Amino acid sequence: MPRLILSDLHGNLEALEAVLADAEGLYDRILCLGDLVGYGADPNAIVDWTRNNAAVVVRGNHDKAGAGLDDMETFSPLARASGLWTRTVLTPESQSYLERLPRGPLPYESVNLVHGSPADEDEYLISVEDTLPVRAYLDARVTFFGHTHVQGGFLLAQRAAMRIAPAGLLQIEQKYFYLVNPGSVGQPRDGDPRAAYAFYWPDERKVEFRRASYDIDRAAAKIRAAGLPDFLAARLYEGI
Ligand code: ZN
């Protein structure tokens, strides 16, 4: 059975529930790449669920902010506004859980887990060029990363790299290195508003990229009711 790979849940309980329903009975352990909180209206519910269910978790930048470990100076105004709100609603138990989350890269079985990049947990791997300096840090064939909220990732060959299309099954080949992004559960930014996640089979060495439709109306209404910036609700419909 595959591992269930989740990233960037961002306090979106409706999206998480849809992913779990879509994946039900099809996976064994859960691996999480961070950003449990921030942007969404249900940070405590996501923290509780992750604490009780994930086999392994690395921290994201929003988790650090929620725990008070980051002053949010590099955050966009929207991210900062939601970060400040998140701090006010997190329970002490949630805060101390976030505070204790390990920084990536974290080796787990045969793969590495990071939030941003193997070189820097806060770095964004957006373009193929971004991945070239990272090669020196890769000590596993497969590194799972998040942070960009874009499903897919990159294949690194000897002298070149290319983008991985997030369609169907990806077979891992021994001669390449792979940076694989399952996409964001709670706030996709790749133009597809459905919640994104992935399965990984360690023995067969393959990845499946998956999407699940969820109740965006409900998640957006909670964001608006919390008094969070309207754009954080509106963007969910567009997947931006
Ligand atoms: Zn994120």
Side-chain angles (χ1 to χ4, degrees):
M1 270 199 166
R3 310 293 176 259
L4 173 64
I5 318 286
L6 305 179
S7 191
D8 297 279
L9 297 87
H10 283 296
N12 188 334
L13 186 59
E14 287 69 30
L16 174 62
E17 287 173 346
V19 163
L20 296 176
D22 192 59
E24 192 178 358
L26 302 177
Y27 63 92
D28 49 21
R29 284 193 283 284
I30 298 168
L31 283 50
C32 178
L33 310 175
D35 273 5
L36 314 183
V37 304
Y39 300 131
D42 283 311
N44 288 307
I46 299 291
V47 169
D48 286 346
W49 178 85
T50 306
R51 184 172 49 207
N52 292 324
N53 293 283
V56 61
V57 186
V58 291
R59 70 185 187 183
N61 51 317
H62 285 264
D63 303 321
K64 283 192 286 180
L69 297 174
D70 187 310
D71 57 15
M72 297 190 278
E73 256 174 31
T74 60
F75 276 36
S76 70
L78 279 171
R80 196 176 309 120
S82 83
L84 291 171
W85 178 86
T86 300
R87 275 186 197 167
T88 66
V89 299
L90 281 175
T91 63
E93 294 75 32
S94 294
Q95 280 198 15
S96 73
Y97 176 76
L98 294 175
E99 206 181 313
R100 287 181 279 112
L101 285 178
R103 168 209 299 257
L106 194 69
Y108 183 78
E109 299 178 330
S110 59
V111 303
N112 271 337
L113 309 177
V114 304
H115 181 65
S117 138
D120 177 346
E121 61 180 342
D122 294 335
E123 183 181 22
Y124 289 90
L125 298 178
I126 296 167
S127 69
V128 166
E129 289 68 36
D130 293 339
T131 68
L132 299 179
V134 165
R135 174 186 295 278
Y137 296 88
L138 299 177
D139 52 10
R141 281 289 145 199
V142 180
T143 298
F144 286 102
F145 74 104
H147 199 32
T148 61
H149 301 201
V150 174
Q151 195 176 48
F154 306 93
L155 178 159
L156 280 69
Q158 201 75 356
R159 288 187 177 77
M162 61 179 271
R163 206 173 278 282
I164 295 167
L169 286 173
L170 169 71
Q171 188 65 51
I172 303 299
E173 296 184 50
Q174 271 305 325
K175 56 185 170 175
Y176 303 126
F177 286 93
Y178 294 82
L179 291 157
V180 179
N181 192 328
S184 168
V185 172
Q187 194 198 74
R189 293 182 196 157
D190 49 14
D192 183 342
R194 293 175 300 165
Y197 70 101
F199 285 146
Y200 176 63
W201 287 261
D203 298 332
E204 291 97 330
R205 299 181 76 75
K206 60 182 187 183
V207 175
E208 183 184 0
F209 296 103
R210 297 175 64 102
R211 308 294 290 224
S213 299
Y214 72 96
D215 189 346
I216 298 179
D217 283 339
R218 192 170 155 83
K222 286 185 187 174
I223 287 171
R224 292 188 168 116
L228 285 160
D230 190 76
F231 179 69
L232 296 179
R235 72 188 305 173
L236 296 179
Y237 291 92
E238 312 286 337
I240 58 167

